Amino acid sequence: GAHRTAAGQVEVHDKETDVFYVTDGEATMVVGGTMIGGKQKSPGQMLGTSIQGGETHHLSKGDSMVIPAGVPHWFKEVPKSISYFVVKVIAP
């Protein structure tokens, strides 16, 4: 499980698909588009400052989302807090 009280950085995982399930709270997530300011954090993991383009999704309790490997994603806004489970499915 994970918990956020503020926005995060843009992430791209080369070989990990993220499966999110929101257990409490709400947030705005941007998925897709082009990562801006991307830098390699570790092998196969990039972090950036924003996303150009992409689709905006409002997530709240009970929502789920699957983000395929290689797709930029970003918790852009977290008004109060969000709690969620994330399962990482790693490609061989």
Side-chain angles (χ1 to χ4, degrees):
H3 182 79
R4 289 184 178 271
T5 56
Q9 291 182 282
V10 178
E11 300 179 17
V12 175
H13 317 293
D14 288 349
K15 294 185 176 186
E16 297 172 4
T17 293
D18 285 346
V19 181
F20 290 99
Y21 177 76
V22 180
T23 59
D24 197 29
E26 63 180 326
T28 299
M29 179 175 274
V30 180
V31 178
T34 303
M35 175 190 279
I36 305 298
K39 296 186 181 191
Q40 189 168 354
K41 174 185 172 188
S42 60
Q45 307 289 326
M46 298 281 293
L47 294 178
T49 56
S50 65
I51 290 178
Q52 182 177 9
E55 295 181 8
T56 301
H57 301 270
H58 180 79
L59 301 177
S60 58
K61 185 175 180 175
D63 289 341
S64 61
M65 177 170 276
V66 176
I67 303 173
V71 175
H73 53 286
W74 177 29
F75 279 101
K76 183 177 181 182
E77 297 171 351
V78 180
K80 293 181 182 176
S81 67
I82 187 167
S83 297
Y84 56 95
F85 288 111
V86 62
V87 175
K88 294 194 172 278
V89 180
I90 301 173

